[in-house]
Amino acid sequence: MPEDRFLDRELSWIAFNSRVLELAQDPEVPLLERVRFLSIFASNLDEFFMVRVAGLKRRIAAGVAVPSTSGLAPRAVLAQSLRESHALMTRHAHAFSDDVVPALAEVGIHLVHWADLTGEERAHLATVYRDRVFPVLTPLAVDPAHPFPYISGLSLNLALVMRNPETGKDHFARVKVPPIIDRWMPVGDDRFIPLEEVIAAHLDLLFPGMELVTHHVFRVTRNEDLEVEEDDAENLLKALEKELLRRRFGPPVRLEVHEDIDDEVLDLLVSELGVKQDEVFRLRGPLDLRSLGQIADIDRPEHKYEAFIPGTHSHLAEVETASPADLFGALRRRDVLVHHPYDSFATSVQRFIEQAAADPQVLAIKQTLYRTSGDSPIIDSLIDAARAGKQVLVLVEIKARFDEQANIRWARKLERAGCHVVYGLVGLKTHCKLALVVRDEPEGLRRYAHLGTGNYNPKTARLYEDLGLLTTDPDITKDLLDLFNNLSGFAQQTRYEQLLVAPAALRNGLVDRIDAEVAHHRAGRPSGIRIKVNSLVDEVLIDKLYEASQAGVPVDLVIRGICALKPGVPGLSENIRVRSILGRFLEHSRVYWFSGGGEAEAWIGSADLMHRNLDRRVEVLVKIPSPDHVASLGTLLETSADDDTTSWHLEADGEWVRHKGGLDLQAELIARARQRRALRS
């Protein structure tokens, strides 16, 4: 195998965020959705700096960074990541100012500056400022008695130079733009002004008697990745809370400033914050466009994607006429494969948990929780079940990145209600999405299960594309019972009949299936591999896919984000196609389909093909029992990779090229879902 057969994962991620930005720049995308993609791009890049850039810097400083599998030295990866990020941020700022703001104005949505306001509008905002904003602000001066203040990560700040008219001496001060107040202040009907401009226009109230020399907006990004040493569950909880407190004081990794900032002010910020010159990003304002989500939420449906309300899966709709709907009866008849958001999460997975909590015949509920919403009905159902005397085991992953604090709250709330709460295995994040229900029925105990690709979060289930299997299959549910015992107790089982579980067996299980496809091809039997994941980084599996391609096995990969594999390289990967689909829904499901010599098999689950998923997490793939479901998943992946489907194609040199085909996959699946509902009504 050639040494240069891998693409760099950090640069591949930057290319992914560039694809998000392409959607924001696409005039065929509804205008307010373009605004939302600008917000998503900014949020994505913040996390990239807080975690990936920060981690790379930390490893370089500690002397433990090693060359990436792409062959690039760590410092070269960091330098190129900063350069390409800066270029994207500049493009992002210009897309906002030059394209989106004028387009919004054409439809009557105006993002204005203080200089654009009428006297009446200024007077109105002055009143709002005095009543709602001024009391919240805290000016912080810098002088011998007041050291340079701590600047919290991702906060928006005003750097001020004030002059004392009596002494003629200049002073530096900082004012934090309060995040608890909407960033875009309404001026009138669909007219908005950035909060920092309103603050800047009234600085005389904060610093009476001082003359304003200059003011500039700036923003700092800090290392916010967590490092927690694990001993036992109690210590883990306490250690994580301490680490969350420390996160606020992580070292800076990026300084964003306006392009017209005074050199003296910038020098002061660079010196006090301790950032390097290549970590300073001069940008056209306004900074922090994450806040554009507020503008995207404006009630102008004509400038958004057409509203789509998910319907109940047809096999579950059959029982909706009953009172209450009997999901258990439906699942005894057949397995149900739900595809969110095209199939309603509320009337499938959520109802499954709610019915289990309310059903007096249910004896036990066991569930993993990685991320959920703040007002989750699933949490409420688990609490109700425990209070009703059911055995409730909840495995809460309190190390879910950026959801740690919320998950600690839910863990304690569940414990107080009488649920058995565990935190998984030491050293491993529990990322799998599993629920098991044990029910007492006339024939004996029966187990019901849900195994999915997405979190138990009713809110994101309307925005994320995910798959879930609802089943009573005795082999799957037995495996699941054994797995929960493994996660909550001291069981050492690592092999299962219908599950592939990381870290013990998932990578090898996939390797075995890729090898089997090579054997089928050489024997003249049907062969083929179709995989849909968020990211592909693992070198062992990439090399196996290269081997399959070299043997003649056709390989289709549908990858939303990072891809370290090079497709279409003669003699290496000419039988591999890589596609990326981005759109109104976030493609989140993980599907593994193998031709099987004519007896196809498919697996779904929580695992991406990254080292962390295969080596440092508890991940689960479940083998789909129904041949019809296997066929439908194969068709879904085949359509996703088809040249006529609009997507980005990865070229052999690592470039992603957008291809607009005759089929928009998400729009087609929405149309089919609407058609199914129309036929039932």
Side-chain angles (χ1 to χ4, degrees):
M1 294 272 188
E3 291 186 2
D4 63 347
R5 63 190 184 277
F6 302 114
L7 298 170
D8 185 80
R9 65 157 291 164
E10 314 300 351
L11 303 181
S12 182
W13 185 93
I14 292 171
F16 153 69
N17 214 26
S18 177
R19 300 197 291 279
V20 176
L21 186 53
E22 282 188 61
L23 290 174
Q25 295 177 293
D26 186 349
E28 294 183 16
V29 173
L31 181 55
L32 288 177
E33 304 297 348
R34 293 174 63 191
V35 173
R36 195 177 306 282
F37 282 121
L38 287 173
S39 172
I40 292 169
F41 170 92
S43 180
N44 286 347
L45 200 61
D46 285 348
E47 184 170 340
F48 178 71
F49 271 86
M50 288 189 294
V51 178
R52 299 304 308 176
V53 172
L56 186 55
K57 280 190 64 181
R58 186 173 65 241
R59 292 193 299 276
I60 290 172
V64 297
V66 297
S68 76
T69 54
S70 65
L72 291 175
R75 293 186 185 278
V77 172
L78 179 60
Q80 194 167 341
S81 295
L82 292 174
R83 282 196 306 272
E84 295 195 12
S85 294
H86 202 163
L88 275 186
M89 292 163 71
T90 301
R91 191 173 123 204
H92 179 240
H94 282 277
F96 171 73
S97 298
D98 298 340
D99 298 337
V100 172
V101 169
L104 288 169
E106 288 180 9
V107 299
I109 301 172
H110 299 275
L111 306 184
V112 299
H113 299 286
W114 186 258
D116 303 325
L117 301 180
T118 65
E120 184 179 345
E121 289 172 332
R122 291 185 181 189
H124 166 70
L125 283 175
T127 301
V128 174
Y129 173 82
R130 287 187 177 90
D131 292 344
R132 301 286 302 162
V133 181
F134 177 73
V136 180
L137 299 178
T138 302
L140 295 173
V142 177
D143 60 27
H146 300 89
F148 191 87
Y150 173 77
I151 309 298
S152 53
L154 301 187
S155 63
L156 202 60
N157 304 272
L158 288 171
L160 313 171
V161 178
M162 314 296 294
R163 180 168 297 152
N164 186 326
E166 296 181 1
T167 64
K169 187 176 180 181
D170 289 349
H171 300 271
F172 179 85
R174 172 258 189 161
V175 175
K176 180 178 178 178
V177 179
I180 58 173
I181 299 175
D182 284 346
R183 170 77 179 287
W184 295 91
M185 294 187 71
V187 182
D189 292 339
D190 287 345
R191 281 169 63 79
F192 301 88
I193 185 170
L195 175 59
E196 64 270 21
E197 291 200 26
V198 179
I199 295 172
H202 297 88
L203 289 172
D204 57 316
L205 296 178
L206 278 175
F207 301 93
M210 299 290 283
E211 296 175 0
L212 175 65
V213 177
T214 186
H215 73 275
H216 302 283
V217 178
F218 72 97
R219 184 172 180 257
V220 176
T221 309
R222 295 185 177 274
N223 177 351
E224 299 209 14
D225 204 10
L226 289 176
E227 296 179 88
V228 179
E229 294 296 328
E230 303 177 55
D231 294 317
D232 56 50
E234 183 179 358
N235 288 344
L236 174 59
L237 205 61
K238 291 177 181 176
L240 189 59
E241 288 178 314
K242 288 180 183 177
E243 187 69 8
L244 286 168
L245 186 63
R246 184 208 61 79
R247 172 190 271 177
R248 296 172 46 210
F249 301 96
V253 293
R254 177 178 59 164
L255 171 63
E256 297 168 87
V257 297
H258 273 204
E259 58 189 0
D260 60 355
I261 191 170
D262 288 350
D263 289 341
E264 295 83 0
V265 175
L266 180 58
D267 288 344
L268 175 65
L269 292 175
V270 168
S271 172
E272 292 289 349
L273 292 168
V275 295
K276 299 176 181 177
Q277 286 300 325
D278 61 358
E279 296 167 344
V280 177
F281 294 78
R282 286 179 177 259
L283 300 167
R284 199 167 166 183
L287 303 181
D288 191 9
L289 293 181
R290 294 178 306 166
S291 60
L292 287 176
Q294 180 188 343
I295 304 301
D297 287 338
I298 292 173
D299 188 18
R300 295 286 294 274
E302 69 274 21
H303 298 297
K304 298 182 180 182
Y305 289 122
E306 184 182 355
F308 170 65
I309 300 174
T312 302
H313 188 287
S314 57
H315 292 161
L316 300 177
E318 299 168 357
V319 301
E320 282 196 320
T321 54
S323 182
D326 181 16
L327 257 69
F328 295 137
L331 296 182
R332 284 195 295 273
R333 288 194 289 274
R334 60 167 77 88
D335 289 349
V336 175
L337 183 68
V338 286
H339 193 190
H340 311 302
Y342 312 105
D343 297 319
S344 168
F345 180 87
T347 60
S348 57
V349 180
Q350 182 178 317
R351 183 176 289 172
F352 174 65
I353 303 300
E354 289 172 342
Q355 184 175 334
D359 189 336
Q361 291 177 256
V362 168
L363 305 180
I365 303 173
K366 302 175 187 248
Q367 187 168 359
T368 61
L369 285 179
Y370 189 75
R371 287 191 171 102
T372 188
S373 61
D375 54 352
S376 172
I378 287 178
I379 294 281
D380 293 339
S381 294
L382 294 172
I383 289 172
D384 290 344
R387 287 175 175 166
K390 295 176 171 59
Q391 291 291 308
V392 179
L393 171 71
V394 188
L395 197 149
V396 179
E397 181 45 77
I398 57 173
K399 301 187 297 299
R401 182 177 286 148
F402 303 122
D403 277 344
E404 300 95 345
Q405 198 68 57
N407 285 6
I408 289 172
R409 287 198 303 271
W410 297 131
R412 290 189 162 144
K413 184 176 180 181
L414 289 162
E415 281 180 327
R416 287 194 298 269
C419 299
H420 301 293
V421 179
V422 295
Y423 305 111
L425 304 177
V426 172
L428 300 174
K429 275 188 181 180
T430 303
H431 188 245
C432 47
K433 328 302 185 178
L434 312 170
L436 180 68
V437 171
V438 181
R439 190 169 188 263
D440 191 7
E441 299 183 355
E443 325 65 83
L445 296 185
R446 188 190 299 267
R447 297 181 295 259
Y448 298 80
H450 170 262
L451 305 92
T453 68
N455 299 309
Y456 290 103
N457 188 325
K459 292 183 179 177
T460 58
R462 294 192 289 269
L463 303 172
Y464 287 18
E465 178 271 343
D466 272 304
L467 290 156
L469 176 67
L470 290 158
T471 183
T472 62
D473 184 283
D475 293 329
I476 292 174
T477 57
K478 181 185 181 303
D479 278 353
L480 209 50
L481 185 63
D482 292 340
L483 177 59
F484 272 111
N485 289 339
N486 189 14
L487 293 174
S488 65
F490 292 108
Q492 296 297 307
Q493 182 169 340
T494 58
R495 300 195 68 82
Y496 302 88
E497 292 297 321
Q498 301 297 316
L499 305 180
L500 291 176
V501 180
L506 202 156
R507 181 189 282 108
N508 288 341
L510 292 175
V511 165
D512 290 344
R513 279 152 185 82
I514 295 171
D515 285 341
E517 292 306 307
V518 172
H520 289 314
H521 183 79
R522 287 174 175 161
R525 295 186 293 268
S527 66
I529 300 169
R530 299 171 192 161
I531 295 175
K532 178 179 184 292
V533 289
N534 295 329
S535 298
L536 170 58
V537 173
D538 187 75
E539 293 85 8
V540 171
L541 286 166
I542 290 175
D543 279 345
K544 274 294 167 185
L545 292 171
Y546 285 150
E547 288 179 20
S549 172
Q550 291 167 344
V553 177
V555 179
D556 283 336
L557 305 174
V558 182
I559 299 174
R560 186 186 84 227
I562 303 168
C563 181
L565 177 148
K566 292 183 176 181
V569 177
L572 177 70
S573 57
E574 62 263 48
N575 290 308
I576 301 178
R577 299 188 300 178
V578 179
R579 306 290 187 253
S580 182
I581 295 176
L582 280 72
R584 69 181 289 180
F585 303 132
L586 184 139
E587 295 286 328
H588 192 250
S589 65
R590 292 87 164 184
V591 186
Y592 300 82
W593 183 95
F594 304 95
S595 182
E599 297 183 6
E601 64 178 58
W603 301 71
I604 66 168
S606 54
D608 287 312
L609 297 181
M610 304 177 74
H611 306 134
R612 69 184 188 192
N613 301 94
L614 300 172
D615 298 324
R616 301 190 299 277
R617 289 183 171 186
V618 178
E619 303 276 15
V620 173
L621 298 182
V622 58
K623 186 176 181 181
I624 300 299
S626 163
D628 289 343
H629 291 159
V630 172
S632 68
L633 290 172
T635 300
L636 175 66
L637 268 59
E638 183 181 31
T639 305
S640 300
D642 192 275
D643 286 338
D644 192 44
T645 298
T646 294
S647 64
W648 281 262
H649 296 189
L650 180 59
E651 306 292 331
D653 60 0
E655 291 296 314
W656 290 88
V657 179
R658 193 174 188 188
H659 287 254
K660 290 197 174 184
L663 179 74
D664 180 309
L665 181 66
Q666 294 185 354
E668 174 66 18
L669 292 173
I670 287 173
R672 292 180 189 176
R674 286 179 173 145
Q675 187 177 28
R676 289 194 298 269
R677 290 179 65 186
L679 291 173
R680 291 203 305 266
S681 61

